[in-house]
């Protein structure tokens, strides 16, 4: 491949990335392709081509950015990309993770990518509790996107290094997955039982690790903001998330950040390397979490003789 071929390939990739961002922001504004095309006074086919990377003119990009209420640099992926809603942010994560080689994640209580199907079932109710969303349409869209992320991860099997906090695990065991503090006793107990099963799943992954999945249990304080580093074909992307899918979820308020800036990557890679180096792993980590289960997990009901 000569220089000209590489330049064409890079340009096509850049336009494809722009189209992917366009789609993510459109989803976040709850606009159908037909609605956005009508607002832009273009055909549905033209918008479809744009979302596939067929960007024709800069003035079209400017009009799209204005209509979606984002900056042109964010749409172009220049510098830091700011994302002001959970649906767009998780769609961007899904896009970034496609065909990646490695994921390094710091999420509570663990990376969503390795949670069980039962976690998904309970998560729907938890998000409804946290938002008091009567129609649930936005929640359904978010769940659809994150489930697609998990499915793609299972199919592609990139390397995953997930750092979890033992303090977060203890809280998860004590309180379960909750979207509201006003749960009745029965629901609270059911959520704690669900948390117990999910933590046992973590223990199973530590004792019998899947190929390419590594888990480290940090005992020192970890950042309150979740982040993920995705590596793909020699390029790294950092996503910093204010949105939470675990305990006390947040899918309503926050600004996520996405960047490939070297300084931001270097600083967050340094945090990840330090936490990973001091984390418990393998059998030692499994035994530590089993101690947490014995101390903080919900106990089975006592039965009479």
């Amino acid at each position: 491949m000569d220089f000209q071929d590489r330049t064409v390939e890079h340009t096509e990739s850049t336009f494809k990335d722009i189209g992917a961002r366009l789609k993510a922001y459109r989803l976040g504004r709850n606009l159908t392709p037909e609605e956005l095309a009508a607002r832009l006074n273009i055909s549905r086919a033209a918008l479809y081509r744009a979302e596939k990377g067929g960007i024709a003119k800069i003035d079209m990009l400017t009009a799209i950015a204005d209509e979606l209420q984002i900056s042109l640099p964010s749409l172009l992926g220049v510098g830091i990309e700011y994302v002001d809603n959970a649906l767009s942010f998780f769609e961007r994560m899904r896009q970034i993770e496609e065909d990646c080689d490695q994921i390094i994640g710091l999420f509570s209580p663990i990376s969503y990518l390795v949670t069980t199907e039962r976690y998904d079932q309970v998560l729907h109710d938890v998000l409804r509790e946290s938002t008091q969303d009567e129609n649930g349409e936005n929640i359904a869209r978010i769940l659809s996107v994150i489930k697609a992320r998990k499915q793609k991860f299972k199919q592609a099997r990139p390397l995953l290094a997930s750092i979890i906090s033992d303090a977060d695990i203890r809280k998860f065991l004590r309180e379960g997955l909750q979207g509201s503090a006003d749960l009745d006793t029965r629901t609270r107990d059911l959520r704690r039982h669900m948390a117990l099963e999910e933590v046992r799943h973590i223990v199973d992954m530590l004792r019998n690790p899947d190929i390419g999945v590594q888990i480290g249990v940090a005992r020192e304080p970890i950042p309150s903001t979740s982040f993920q580093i995705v590596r793909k074909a020699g390029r790294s992307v950092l996503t910093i998330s204010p949105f939470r899918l675990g305990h006390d979820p947040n899918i309503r308020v926050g600004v996520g950040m996405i960047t490939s800036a070297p300084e931001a990557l270097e600083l967050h890679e340094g945090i990840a390397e330090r936490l990973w180096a001091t984390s418990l792993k393998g059998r030692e980590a499994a035994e530590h979490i089993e101690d947490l289960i014995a101390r903080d997990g919900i106990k089975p009901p006592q039965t009479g003789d």
Side-chain angles (χ1 to χ4, degrees), residues 6-265:
R6 289 195 298 270
T7 301
V8 170
E9 182 178 314
H10 176 72
T11 301
E12 289 176 350
S13 176
T14 298
F15 282 128
K16 184 179 179 181
D17 289 343
I18 294 171
R21 283 189 285 272
L22 193 169
K23 179 181 179 181
Y25 292 130
R26 174 180 61 74
L27 289 174
R29 299 299 181 213
N30 290 325
L31 291 171
T32 66
E34 291 77 14
E35 289 171 336
L36 181 56
R39 293 188 183 191
L40 295 168
N41 197 28
I42 62 175
S43 68
R44 169 66 181 85
L47 181 62
Y48 177 81
R49 288 194 297 272
E51 290 189 352
K52 290 296 184 180
I55 307 297
K57 298 179 181 179
I58 189 65
D59 57 348
M60 181 180 178
L61 286 177
T62 302
I64 291 171
D66 289 344
E67 192 60 48
L68 296 177
Q69 301 172 25
I70 59 173
S71 70
L72 184 58
S74 285
L75 186 58
L76 294 173
V78 177
I80 299 176
E81 183 180 343
Y82 298 99
V83 189
D84 68 352
N85 67 86
L87 178 56
S88 290
F89 185 81
F90 289 124
E91 170 63 14
R92 288 292 293 124
M93 289 187 70
R94 185 195 67 78
Q95 295 168 355
I96 292 166
E97 289 167 357
E98 280 193 329
D99 303 320
C100 71
D101 302 314
Q102 182 183 36
I103 300 171
I104 302 169
L106 181 67
F107 279 88
S108 173
I110 192 169
S111 171
Y112 169 78
L113 297 174
V114 291
T115 54
T116 67
E117 290 185 8
R118 178 163 175 76
Y119 191 94
D120 287 327
Q121 294 168 2
V122 176
L123 186 58
H124 175 272
D125 294 335
V126 172
L127 295 180
R128 287 291 295 270
E129 293 164 6
S130 71
T131 62
Q132 298 180 344
D133 185 352
E134 294 182 359
N135 59 38
E137 290 182 4
N138 190 53
I139 291 173
R141 294 188 186 103
I142 289 174
L143 289 174
S144 176
V145 168
I146 63 175
K147 287 179 182 179
R149 285 180 55 213
K150 185 188 289 187
Q151 185 62 32
K152 182 64 176 180
F153 171 77
K154 290 180 178 179
Q155 293 172 349
R157 283 303 192 189
L159 300 176
L160 172 67
S162 179
I163 302 170
I164 63 178
S165 162
D166 67 348
D168 286 343
I169 294 296
R170 292 189 63 185
K171 184 174 183 179
F172 189 38
L173 288 166
R174 289 195 302 264
E175 301 179 13
L177 208 60
Q178 295 184 18
S180 168
D182 300 326
L183 299 180
D184 59 76
T185 301
R186 180 177 179 278
T187 302
R188 196 180 301 275
D189 285 348
L190 287 173
R191 299 289 175 79
R192 290 191 66 198
H193 279 293
M194 171 267 177
L196 177 60
E197 293 306 311
E198 203 68 28
V199 174
R200 284 174 173 163
H201 173 62
I202 295 173
V203 172
D204 288 342
M205 288 190 291
L206 286 165
R207 290 195 178 278
N208 304 289
D210 289 338
I211 296 176
V213 176
Q214 296 178 298
I215 299 172
V217 180
R219 291 174 294 175
E220 61 179 301
I222 66 173
S224 58
T225 302
S226 299
F227 69 86
Q228 184 168 283
I229 299 168
V230 180
R231 292 173 176 155
K232 174 181 176 180
R235 179 172 178 256
S236 296
V237 180
L238 169 69
T239 64
I240 303 174
S241 176
F243 305 112
R244 294 187 304 275
L245 297 175
H247 186 80
D248 294 330
N250 169 37
I251 58 170
R252 302 190 73 177
V253 181
V255 178
M257 291 180 282
I258 301 171
T259 182
S260 293
E263 183 179 11
L265 281 164

